[in-house]
Amino acid sequence: MLNTVPKVSQDHLDSRRRQILDGTRECFALYGYDGATVRRMEEATGLSRGAIFHHFRDKEALFLALALEEAQRMADVVAKQGLVQVMRELLVHPEQHDWLGTRLEVARRLRADAEFRAGWAERSAEITAATKARLERQRAAGKVRDDVNAGVLTGYLELVLDGLMAHLAMGLPAEHLGPVLDLVEESVRRHE
C-alpha cells in the first residue's frame, strides 16, 4: 500500500496565504521590517514558522508580496476615486488605511535596499499609471486643467501624498490639512 499525502485544495492554500498577509501586515506596520520577527509573525498570524514560510520563500518575499498587494489596492482606489480623495479619506479615517504603515516601511526599504527598489519600481508604476489615467479622463471631461502635462500633475499629487504620509507618520496634527487638500484639488482643476 502506498502512502499518499492528502491534497490540499487551492481554496485552502489561498485562505492560508490571506491569513498570513493579513496578520503580517499589522506586524510590519507596528514593528517595522526589522522588528517584525518570526516570533511576532507567528503570534500575529496564529501559524507556525513552517506554515508561514511554506507560502513565502523568506521574510523579504513576504514583505514584498504585502507591499505589492497594498500598491495594487491603492491603484484600484485611485482609479475609481482619485488620489486627492484617497488623501482625504486618510485624514478622516487613518485607522482604515493599513497600507500607510506598509508604505512608510516601503519608503525606508527603498533607501537601503537596491534589490527591493528594483522590485518595487514595477508596482509603484501601477499607482502612477492609475493616477495619470484618471487625470486624463478628467481632462477629457473638462474637469482638469489642460495647460500642464498629466505626467507633471501625477508627480505633483504623488509628492503631496508622500508629504501627507510623512506628516502623519511624525504624529503631527491633521485637522488643518483639509484646507490644504482643497488647495491641492483646486490647483489641478480646470478654470475657465
Side-chain angles (χ1 to χ4, degrees):
M1 177 176 260
L2 292 172
N3 287 335
T4 60
V5 176
K7 291 201 176 219
V8 177
S9 74
Q10 188 61 46
D11 287 344
H12 177 76
L13 292 172
D14 292 345
S15 174
R16 183 58 50 97
R17 181 179 167 84
R18 175 86 272 132
Q19 180 181 357
I20 294 165
L21 289 169
D22 290 345
T24 57
R25 175 183 299 111
E26 183 176 336
C27 189
F28 284 119
L30 285 172
Y31 303 109
Y33 182 83
D34 294 331
T37 62
V38 172
R39 182 182 192 106
R40 285 179 170 156
M41 287 190 284
E42 287 174 324
E43 290 169 4
T45 62
L47 298 171
S48 70
R49 166 189 316 248
I52 294 169
F53 295 116
H54 171 76
H55 292 272
F56 298 93
R57 180 183 73 247
D58 54 22
K59 182 177 166 180
E60 172 83 18
L62 173 55
F63 182 77
L64 184 58
L66 180 62
L68 297 178
E69 181 179 87
E70 296 301 323
Q72 183 60 55
R73 279 181 39 196
M74 188 172 172
D76 292 345
V77 171
V78 168
K80 293 174 187 162
Q81 299 175 327
L83 199 51
V84 173
Q85 184 59 33
V86 169
M87 290 183 252
R88 287 187 190 285
E89 290 176 10
L90 185 56
L91 288 181
V92 175
H93 298 289
E95 75 285 352
Q96 293 179 5
H97 297 281
D98 48 12
W99 50 262
L100 174 62
T102 303
R103 180 131 173 159
L104 293 171
E105 187 61 28
V106 164
R108 188 189 74 74
R109 304 270 332 273
L110 287 173
R111 288 190 317 268
D113 185 336
E115 184 178 332
F116 181 81
R117 188 172 32 247
W120 178 252
E122 293 177 35
R123 286 299 185 170
S124 65
E126 290 180 23
I127 296 170
T128 299
T131 302
K132 188 174 179 182
R134 180 169 171 81
L135 286 168
E136 288 171 348
R137 286 191 308 274
Q138 296 292 81
R139 177 179 282 163
K143 296 178 181 179
V144 171
R145 58 191 297 173
D146 58 5
D147 62 328
V148 178
N149 178 291
V152 171
L153 291 175
T154 299
Y156 166 64
L157 292 174
E158 288 177 341
L159 285 172
V160 172
L161 175 63
D162 288 343
L164 174 64
M165 288 194 294
H167 185 93
L168 296 174
M170 290 185 288
L172 298 173
E175 49 279 348
H176 70 285
L177 295 177
V180 172
L181 293 181
D182 291 343
L183 179 62
V184 170
E185 197 165 42
E186 186 64 25
S187 69
V188 298
R189 278 201 186 118
R190 182 179 180 156
H191 299 281
E192 299 295 329

